[in-house]
Amino acid sequence: HPLYRGVLPPVAARLQALLAPYDLVLVVGAPCFLRYPYSPASPVPQGTRVLLLTDDPWEAAKAEAQEVYLGDVAEALRRLAQGVVPREGSLLPLPPPSLPPAEGPLGLNPLYAVARLAEALSGRFLVDEAISLSPPFRRALRREGGGYLHAASGGLGYAPAAAVGAALAGEAAAALVGDGSFLFAPQALYTAREEGLDVVFVVLNNRGYGILKGLAEGLYPGRGAEVPGLALTGVDFALLAQAFGVEARRVGTQAELEEALSELSRGPFLLEVLLDPTPVPVF
């Protein structure tokens, strides 16, 4: 939606800074608030009232809010809408983000890659399991209505199968998935080939466990690369796709990426994008 502003960061200090300009915050059907990993202090700034509307007793019991209303969320929103007096003015959508530099210190800039992928794949039903790169990917999307699926949990490996499901239902689909996550369900390639499905699998290969590196970088700037045991090198995903009989291409430069995106056609197809492995903060 053009008024979408992204996901709140799970860090108390960042939450305080984002909520400080507002005297009233209404949280509807969502946690109030998520902090992961735990960070001390309250996420609610002084002078800001937080109201929670939920049908979950557990969330109601632990909410950091001044007032909590437990009940039917949809019915409560209908009644609330009837009681709100319209006000002059309008909310303007965010301007499209500017395209970042194409090259990072050690290869293709992940932020550039996901921005271009968001543009090139916008006509497809998108299943997003990029995880560490999901926030910048979502920021680059400019579309209304459906066509985008992202899990609320941290489960790994669902995107290839979910994209196959969407393609079986008649959608032109695409799965945007990290290298580690893709290895949970590469057999989705076989189904896509056997059924002749129009699905594009995009593997963002940063040769490591990017979400944990990104969390570390967000908490301890400049030290995300120091976390041990998070490397995943030497896997050729284009070759893996070919083993399942699916056409594939591997790109690692701006020119290669742009050429591949300009030639995207009906799937099944796998595009492996080699990225600069430098950790990208996830919040």
Side-chain angles (χ1 to χ4, degrees):
H1 193 280
L3 296 182
Y4 176 67
R5 291 298 188 266
V7 177
L8 290 173
V11 180
R14 292 283 309 282
L15 282 163
Q16 276 199 26
L18 284 173
L19 300 180
Y22 307 101
D23 54 13
L24 179 66
V25 175
L26 174 62
V27 181
V28 180
C32 181
F33 294 91
L34 175 66
R35 281 182 279 177
Y36 180 82
Y38 173 77
S39 55
S42 171
V44 182
Q46 287 191 350
T48 299
R49 288 179 64 222
V50 176
L51 312 183
L52 171 64
L53 176 58
T54 182
D55 59 4
D56 186 337
W58 172 249
E59 292 295 343
K62 66 187 182 71
E64 296 180 87
Q66 282 83 3
E67 297 180 35
V68 177
Y69 299 89
L70 181 64
D72 186 308
V73 172
E75 177 62 22
L77 285 177
R78 280 191 289 269
R79 295 192 181 197
L80 184 62
Q82 293 170 1
V84 172
V85 178
R87 188 171 62 177
E88 292 295 326
S90 61
L91 293 171
L92 299 177
L94 290 175
S98 57
L99 201 62
E103 301 295 329
L106 300 174
L108 195 60
N109 183 351
L111 301 180
Y112 174 86
V114 295
R116 289 293 295 116
L117 286 163
E119 182 179 347
L121 299 173
S122 62
R124 292 178 172 270
F125 183 93
L126 300 169
V127 185
D128 173 12
E129 197 182 355
I131 306 181
S132 59
L133 292 171
S134 288
F137 180 69
R138 282 195 295 268
R139 284 195 295 271
L141 287 174
R142 286 293 179 268
R143 57 193 304 169
E144 294 220 29
Y148 177 82
L149 179 65
H150 178 76
S153 69
L156 299 176
Y158 72 89
V164 164
L168 284 168
E171 299 277 1
L176 191 76
V177 57
D179 48 341
S181 296
F182 188 82
L183 290 175
F184 280 81
Q187 60 269 31
L189 293 165
Y190 178 84
T191 304
R193 187 205 74 198
E194 285 293 287
E195 300 294 332
L197 301 176
D198 186 7
V199 56
V200 175
F201 303 92
V202 180
V203 179
L204 300 174
N205 188 354
N206 55 15
R207 281 92 79 193
Y209 204 158
I211 184 65
L212 292 187
K213 290 182 180 179
L215 285 170
E217 187 67 22
L219 292 169
Y220 311 105
R223 303 188 62 184
E226 297 178 17
V227 182
L230 301 183
L232 178 64
T233 59
V235 181
D236 189 326
F237 290 89
L239 197 60
L240 177 63
Q242 292 166 21
F244 281 99
V246 172
E247 185 181 353
R249 184 168 182 174
R250 195 182 213 200
V251 300
T253 66
Q254 179 185 12
E256 291 172 346
L257 175 64
E258 295 299 336
E259 182 181 1
L261 294 180
S262 69
E263 297 175 354
L264 276 181
S265 58
R266 193 182 191 281
F269 180 75
L270 182 140
L271 177 64
E272 179 183 2
V273 184
L274 298 173
L275 301 176
D276 180 352
T278 303
V280 176
V282 295
F283 48 77

